[in-house]
Each structure stands twice: as C-alpha cells, then as structure tokens.
Amino acid sequence: MKIEICDTRPNHFQDRFPGEFTVFSPFEIALGIPHALFLITTVKENGKPNACFQSWSSFSGDCGGYFAITPLVQETHTYHNILRTREFCINFIGAQYFDACYQTVFNNSEDTDEIDVGGFTAEPASCIHAPRIREAFLSLECTLHSHTDLSGKGISSLIIGKVQLAAIDQDYLNGSEKKYGPDGFMYYLYDLYNFASSDQGERKVASLNILRKA
C-alpha cells in the first residue's frame, strides 16, 4: 500500500522552531530525500569571511558549462553576499567535520569570521575573491549565473552558479575509496519516525557505501 501525500501541510506537523514550515516545505520532512552537505563561502560587506552550511542542491551541465544549483533563504548573509559580489565557493567536507560545520550556523554575526569559528583554514581561491577552505577535499569556485525567486513568495531563491574552477585533493582524484567512503561526501538524512503522529525523530549524517560496480 502506498500513502499519498499532498503539498498541503498536515495539521499535526508542528514547527520545531518559529517559521520552520515557512522556510521548508512539508515534503522536506515527510519524504526524507538525502542531500549532500557542504559549506558555501562568501565575503561579507565588511570583508569578513562568511560560511553557510548548506544542502538541497544539485550539480549539472553541458558543453556550455557546469553549474551549481542551490536554493538559499533570501534573509541570509550568503544570499546577499552572492548578489553583491556575484561569486561564491562550494566546499565539500567529510562527515568528521560535521560539528565544526555546525558552529557556523550558531556563530554568524556580521563581525564573525565564520571560517575561523568552525576551526577551518581559509585559503585563496584562484578565480574568485571568496576564499576556499583548506580542509575541503573538493572546492568549486563559482560565479553567479542567475537567481530566481523559487516560489514567488520572497522566501527562498534558486541560485545558479557557473563553476569556473574545481580544486580537488590529489588523494580524492583517482578511484573511489576516499571520495565515496567515510572521508568523502557527507549527506544529510531526515526521516519521520512516525508520519501519523508527526514524530520528527532526529536528523542524521551519513557517508556513501559502494555496493557494486556497474
């Protein structure tokens, strides 16, 4: 038997923080689709580094370029920094750094160096002014290609960046043991324990485990 879920928020879905279901669709909680986690780095207007722990994104392209496609809440520093500077860097970091990444969520004042607050090391990018993170095994230097109000409600925007350069750790370049294992891509998992009661359970962090070669 399949359960059909519409895009209307169920009455028993309660906000865990004010405005949760304004920023997030109820599908986000109900479906639990996994997404890769990473840090977006930008530069604040005062020159301080900004770091945003982000997910819900995809990466694709053709002969005209490779693109990072990510939604951002319009109230965030990162969104305004990207619109102002028209550039950003996406940094993929292993799951062992999850707690350090999460520090950037709670320490994000205008005067805070958000790379430093996570215990990370900033390094110069090659094509943009926004810094890369040295601890990242893969960094994508992006320039802003376009931005669109995702729902038309002025809440989230879909940011599309064109990747100008990728910097990857040599140990991750060949083969899959590092990139697709515990030290590789970090994933965000979120699944309800009980849909009927809206018991939202816990967020989870995961890495990939290769099952077969095709």
Side-chain angles (χ1 to χ4, degrees):
M1 181 179 72
K2 291 187 177 179
I3 304 298
E4 294 185 346
I5 305 169
C6 69
D7 65 353
T8 302
R9 172 185 170 183
N11 291 331
H12 60 282
F13 272 37
Q14 301 298 316
D15 288 336
R16 291 171 309 140
F17 58 85
E20 178 178 13
F21 287 104
T22 300
V23 176
F24 292 106
S25 163
F27 278 137
E28 166 72 20
I29 309 302
L31 304 182
I33 298 171
H35 301 279
L37 284 160
F38 49 84
L39 284 170
I40 298 178
T41 48
T42 56
V43 177
K44 300 176 187 179
E45 196 165 4
N46 62 6
K48 293 283 188 178
N50 184 81
C52 175
F53 201 20
Q54 178 67 12
S55 188
W56 310 287
S57 304
S58 64
F59 305 86
S60 184
D62 53 29
C63 63
Y66 189 64
F67 298 89
I69 305 161
T70 186
L72 283 172
V73 176
Q74 294 181 17
E75 294 181 353
T76 61
H77 290 147
T78 300
Y79 173 74
H80 291 287
N81 292 340
I82 291 173
L83 263 58
R84 190 186 73 257
T85 65
R86 303 189 66 81
E87 61 180 31
F88 59 98
C89 187
I90 288 178
N91 303 271
F92 290 97
I93 297 177
Q96 67 270 31
Y97 290 107
F98 177 82
D99 291 335
C101 290
Y102 221 67
Q103 289 302 310
T104 68
V105 177
F106 299 110
N107 299 278
N108 59 3
S109 69
E110 194 65 36
D111 293 327
T112 299
D113 180 334
E114 296 180 33
I115 293 178
D116 183 68
V117 82
F120 297 112
T121 308
E123 66 178 18
S126 294
C127 296
I128 60 176
H129 292 97
R132 299 196 306 235
I133 292 179
R134 184 173 297 169
E135 289 80 5
F137 65 86
L138 173 62
S139 296
L140 306 178
E141 299 181 15
C142 303
T143 53
L144 179 62
H145 177 267
S146 63
H147 61 98
T148 306
D149 190 313
L150 194 57
S151 66
K153 293 183 177 294
I155 301 169
S156 295
S157 277
L158 186 66
I159 296 290
I160 300 179
K162 185 174 183 181
V163 178
Q164 302 294 336
L165 180 141
I168 185 167
D169 191 299
Q170 187 173 0
D171 291 342
Y172 290 76
L173 185 60
N174 300 310
S176 58
E177 288 79 6
K178 293 281 284 185
K179 197 188 310 182
Y180 304 126
D183 296 327
F185 291 105
M186 170 172 41
Y187 279 79
Y188 171 80
L189 311 179
Y190 191 42
D191 197 16
L192 291 171
Y193 283 150
N194 189 319
F195 181 84
S197 67
S198 79
D199 180 356
Q200 295 188 21
E202 298 176 347
R203 292 181 172 91
K204 305 172 184 68
V205 182
S207 58
L208 292 172
N209 178 30
I210 297 174
L211 297 180
R212 56 170 289 182
K213 296 182 179 179

